[in-house]
C-alpha cells in the first residue's frame, strides 16, 4: 500500500466523448497539443509531474532566496555530495541544461559518446556539440517479451570492441542511463556498471551516469541481483555513483520536484570550465537557474526517494497497472519498469502499417475512449519519409508509453486505464491509422499535425 495519505487534492477533468472528439480534431490528432485541463489521466511524462510531500513544502518555505551563497544551496550541495560522493555539484534548471553544460564543455567536435541508450535530449546535446551518439544496448533488450531483469545493460562485448577499434580513441565519455528510459525503463545491473567502469578506466575514458531514475534502478537491483539482495536502495545508489567520474541528473524524476537538475563532477578543472558556462547561461554557481526553495525541495526529495516503502509501492503500482493492461489483452514491453508501462501498439493493431502510426492511433484512442494522454514511441517519433512523403525509415517497435507520475494516481485510476484498454482491444480492428499533414524538421512528434488515414 501507499506509505502516505492524501492531504491536498486537485480536481481532474471529467469530459464527454463529444468534447474529446472535438478536442482531438482541434489539435490535429496530436495529444501533445491538448490543453492539460482536457485530460482526465495524464501519463505523458513522469517528469516534474510528481506530488510534493508535506516535508518538501515545509523546507521550501525555509528556502533562502539570496542571490549568492544561499543556505539552500549549501543544504542541497551537502545532500547531493553525501549521496553521490562527487567533489563538485553544479545546480541547473533541469536535466537537459545539465547535459548542455557538461557536453559543450567536455566534448570536442568529431568526438563520440557511447551509451547503453541515450535519452533524446542527451543525444541532441551530443549532436549539438558536433559529436556522434552511439547506443550499444545489450542483446536481450531487442526481445520485448523476454523477462530478463536487466535489459537496460550496455553490451559489454560490443563496448570493448568499440573502444579497441579505430574509432575508440574518439570516444570522449561513456554515459550509462539508469534506468534506461530510451530502452523501456529497464534497469542496469551493478555487475554491468562495475564492468563498464572497469573497462572505461582501462581505456582511459570517463564514465558518467545519467541518473534521472537512480533510485528506481537501485531498487530493482536489490530485487533482482543476488549479491545486492540484502542491501538498502540508498547504499546501492551510493555505490553506483562512486563507480562513475561524474553525473548529470534531471531532478524532475527521482528528486520528486517540479523543476531542477545538476551536474556532479570529480574533475576540478572540468568543473571550473562548466561553472563558467553555468554562470553565463543558467545562473550563478549557487543557484543555476533554480530558486532557493527548489534546491531545498530537491534535497528533501533525494532523501525520500530511496525509502524502501516508497520504492516498494512504486514497483507494486507499476505491476498492478501492467496486470490490468495484460488482462485487457494488450501486450507490454516486459518486464514492466517502475516509471512507465510501454504498450505494444504494433502487435495490437497489426492492420495499421508503420507509416500510418499504430502507436499514435492507440494513443488517440486512449484519449477518445478514456481521456487518457500517453506518448507515442514508434514511427511518428523515429520514422522518416522522403520529400514526396514515402516512408524510408520506420521504428523498430511501435510503442506507447504510459508514464507514471510519482505519488499522483491511485489504483482506481489504473483500473480506469485497464477498462479503457479492454474496450479498445475488443474493437481493435476498427481503430484507424493516421497520416501526417504538417511536421517540423526535428523532434516532429511534439508538434506534427495529422489526420485520419
Ligand atoms: N535523461 C533521461 C534519462 C530522461 O528521461 C530525461 C527526461 C532527461 C535526461 C532530460 O531531463 O527533462 O529534466 O531536461 N525525460 C522526460 C521523459 C522528459 O518524459 O522521459 P529534463
Amino acid at each position: 500500500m501507499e506509505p502516505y495519505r492524501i492531504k491536498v487534492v486537485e480536481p481532474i477533468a471529467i469530459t464527454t466523448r463529444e468534447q474529446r472528439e472535438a478536442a482531438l480534431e482541434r489539435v490535429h490528432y496530436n495529444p501533445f497539443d491538448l490543453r492539460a485541463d482536457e485530460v482526465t489521466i495524464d501519463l505523458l511524462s513522469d517528469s516534474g509531474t510528481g506530488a510534493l510531500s508535506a516535508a518538501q513544502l515545509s523546507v521550501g518555505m525555509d528556502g533562502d532566496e539570496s542571490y549568492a551563497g544561499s543556505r539552500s544551496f549549501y543544504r542541497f550541495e551537502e545532500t547531493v555530495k553525501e549521496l553521490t560522493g562527487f567533489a563538485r555539484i553544479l545546480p541547473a534548471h533541469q536535466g537537459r541544461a545539465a547535459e548542455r553544460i557538461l557536453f559543450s564543455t567536455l566534448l570536442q567536435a568529431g568526438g563520440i559518446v557511447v551509451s547503453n541508450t541515450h535519452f533524446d535530449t542527451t543525444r541532441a546535446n551530443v549532436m549539438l556539440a558536433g559529436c556522434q551518439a552511439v547506443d550499444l544496448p545489450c542483446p536481450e533488450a531487442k526481445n520485448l517479451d523476454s523477462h530478463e531483469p536487466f535489459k537496460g545493460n550496455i553490451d559489454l562485448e560490443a563496448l570493448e570492441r568499440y573502444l579497441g577499434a579505430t574509432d575508440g580513441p574518439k570516444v570522449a565519455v561513456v554515459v550509462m542511463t539508469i534506468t534506461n528510459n530510451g530502452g523501456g525503463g529497464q534497469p542496469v545491473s551493478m555487475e554491468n556498471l562495475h564492468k563498464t567502469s572497469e573497462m572505461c578506466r582501462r581505456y582511459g575514458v570517463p564514465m558518467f551516469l545519467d541518473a534521472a531514475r537512480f533510485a528506481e534502478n537501485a531498487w530493482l537491483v536489490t530485487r533482482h541481483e543476488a549479491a545486492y539482495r540484502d542491501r538498502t536502495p540508498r547504499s546501492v545508489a551510493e555505490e553506483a555513483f562512486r563507480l562513475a567520474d561524474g553525473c548529470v541528473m534531471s531532478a524532475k524524476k527521482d528528486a520528486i520536484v517540479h523543476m531542477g537538475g545538476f551536474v556532479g563532477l570529480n574533475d576540478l578543472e572540468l568543473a571550473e570550465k562548466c561553472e563558467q558556462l553555468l554562470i553565463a547561461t543558467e545562473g550563478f554557481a549557487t543557484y543555476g537557474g533554480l530558486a532557493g526553495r527548489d534546491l531545498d525541495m530537491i534535497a528533501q526529495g533525494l532523501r525520500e526517494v530511496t525509502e524502501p516503502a516508497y520504492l516498494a509501492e512504486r514497483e507494486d503500482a507499476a505491476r498492478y497497472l501492467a496486470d490490468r493492461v495484460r488482462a485487457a489483452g494488450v501486450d507490454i514491453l516486459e518486464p514492466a519498469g517502475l516509471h512507465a508501462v510501454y504498450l505494444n501498439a504494433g502487435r495490437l493493431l497489426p492492420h495499421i502499417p508503420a507509416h500510418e502510426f499504430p502507436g499514435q492511433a492507440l494513443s488517440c484512442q486512449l484519449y477518445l475512449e478514456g481521456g487518457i494522454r500517453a506518448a507515442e514511441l514508434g514511427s511518428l517519433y523515429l520514422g522518416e519519409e522522403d520529400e514526396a512523403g514515402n516512408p524510408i525509415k520506420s521504428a523498430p517497435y511501435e510503442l506507447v508509453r504510459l508514464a507514471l507520475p510519482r505519488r499522483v494516481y491511485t489504483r482506481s485510476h489504473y483500473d480506469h486505464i485497464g477498462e479503457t484498454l479492454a474496450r479498445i482491444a475488443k474493437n481493435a480492428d476498427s481503430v484507424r491509422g493516421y497520416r501526417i499533414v504538417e511536421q517540423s524538421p526535428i523532434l516532429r512528434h511534439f508538434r506534427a499535425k495529422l489526420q485520419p488515414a
Side-chain angles (χ1 to χ4, degrees):
M1 65 179 178
E2 290 88 347
Y4 46 83
R5 56 184 175 174
I6 297 164
K7 185 157 171 172
V8 177
V9 296
E10 180 186 21
I12 53 179
I14 307 294
T15 55
T16 64
R17 171 117 193 169
E18 289 68 38
Q19 286 171 328
R20 294 194 294 274
E21 275 170 8
L24 203 57
E25 193 182 330
R26 189 195 78 237
V27 299
H28 305 278
Y29 304 93
N30 192 343
F32 264 107
D33 269 335
L34 289 167
R35 295 175 59 115
D37 58 13
E38 293 169 320
V39 176
T40 306
I41 301 200
D42 206 342
L43 308 182
L44 201 51
S45 181
D46 66 319
S47 181
T49 53
L52 296 173
S53 66
Q56 281 177 297
L57 282 173
S58 164
V59 297
M61 279 306 290
D62 195 36
D64 174 359
E65 306 303 340
S66 304
Y67 187 86
S70 73
R71 291 191 302 278
S72 300
F73 171 74
Y74 290 107
R75 290 191 287 245
F76 158 85
E77 187 192 38
E78 190 187 340
T79 306
V80 178
K81 277 188 173 173
E82 261 173 33
L83 171 68
T84 65
F86 296 126
R88 289 293 308 276
I89 307 299
L90 303 173
H93 83 272
Q94 64 182 97
R96 65 198 73 181
E99 292 160 8
R100 183 181 59 83
I101 299 283
L102 175 72
F103 291 144
S104 44
T105 309
L106 175 71
L107 301 181
Q108 272 163 12
I112 296 172
V113 178
V114 178
S115 177
N116 51 342
T117 306
H118 291 82
F119 178 68
D120 325 357
T121 58
T122 323
R123 183 184 315 281
N125 277 298
V126 169
M127 288 163 69
L128 284 171
C131 295
Q132 193 192 339
V134 174
D135 291 341
L136 300 177
C138 66
E140 296 80 23
K142 291 199 183 69
N143 181 354
L144 301 192
D145 301 313
S146 117
H147 283 258
E148 293 280 328
F150 292 108
K151 288 160 79 175
N153 284 351
I154 199 165
D155 183 337
L156 288 164
E157 283 174 28
L159 179 63
E160 176 107 57
R161 275 199 304 277
Y162 204 93
L163 292 174
T166 42
D167 272 352
K170 290 194 204 153
V171 178
V173 55
V174 171
V175 175
M176 295 295 280
T177 311
I178 59 170
T179 56
N180 190 345
N181 186 19
Q186 302 295 318
V188 176
S189 72
M190 289 302 288
E191 185 190 3
N192 193 256
L193 272 186
H194 270 277
K195 289 189 168 157
T196 307
S197 153
E198 184 272 318
M199 196 184 294
C200 284
R201 264 171 239 290
R202 213 158 13 90
Y203 284 91
V205 177
M207 182 182 96
F208 272 65
L209 297 182
D210 176 346
R213 298 176 182 86
F214 74 93
E216 296 179 356
N217 200 83
W219 175 253
L220 290 168
V221 163
T222 66
R223 301 276 290 140
H224 300 295
E225 198 166 346
Y228 290 84
R229 206 149 280 160
D230 298 326
R231 296 272 296 272
T232 62
R234 168 81 192 198
S235 84
V236 175
E238 286 177 2
E239 183 177 321
F241 280 114
R242 281 158 185 78
L243 290 172
D245 299 285
C247 78
V248 281
M249 161 108 187
S250 167
K252 300 173 73 173
K253 285 79 167 172
D254 272 353
I256 326 183
V257 290
H258 299 145
M259 196 51 70
F262 57 84
V263 185
L265 294 165
N266 278 337
D267 178 339
L268 298 180
E269 214 175 296
L270 178 63
E272 227 32 66
K273 287 189 200 145
C274 286
E275 188 181 288
Q276 283 160 27
L277 184 60
L278 183 80
I279 296 173
T281 60
E282 281 281 299
F284 187 63
T286 61
Y287 76 88
L290 295 168
R293 62 176 167 272
D294 295 327
L295 294 166
D296 272 312
M297 290 193 288
I298 292 172
Q300 177 62 24
L302 288 174
R303 286 190 285 273
E304 293 175 10
V305 77
T306 51
E307 283 297 323
Y310 159 77
L311 287 164
E313 195 280 332
R314 187 136 168 91
E315 181 185 19
D316 199 57
R319 190 185 319 120
Y320 183 89
L321 176 61
D323 288 345
R324 301 273 106 31
V325 172
R326 287 192 213 91
V330 177
D331 287 341
I332 64 166
L333 193 166
E334 298 286 0
L338 259 58
H339 86 288
V341 171
Y342 294 67
L343 311 178
N344 191 334
R347 195 173 289 164
L348 181 69
L349 306 171
H351 58 286
I352 303 181
H355 64 274
E356 289 180 6
F357 313 118
Q360 190 70 3
L362 180 55
S363 144
C364 286
Q365 214 57 27
L366 277 165
Y367 180 69
L368 280 178
E369 287 284 339
I372 300 157
R373 178 155 71 168
E376 192 259 10
L377 287 176
S379 290
L380 182 61
Y381 170 49
L382 291 173
E384 278 171 36
E385 294 88 38
D386 65 16
E387 310 231 310
N390 303 307
I392 48 176
K393 184 180 150 208
S394 60
Y397 312 104
E398 304 295 338
L399 302 175
V400 171
R401 185 182 76 168
L402 306 179
L404 310 179
R406 292 167 182 77
R407 307 190 288 210
V408 169
Y409 293 117
T410 65
R411 303 287 192 281
S412 66
H413 294 118
Y414 291 170
D415 288 339
H416 170 76
I417 298 165
E419 287 155 19
T420 303
L421 273 170
R423 283 202 304 279
I424 296 172
K426 212 175 281 169
N427 291 308
D429 296 350
S430 67
V431 177
R432 315 165 289 186
Y434 290 87
R435 61 183 186 80
I436 296 180
V437 289
E438 208 180 298
Q439 61 177 308
S440 53
I442 53 163
L443 298 174
R444 68 176 185 176
H445 53 293
F446 288 125
R447 306 314 296 265
K449 295 183 175 164
L450 300 104
Q451 79 183 28

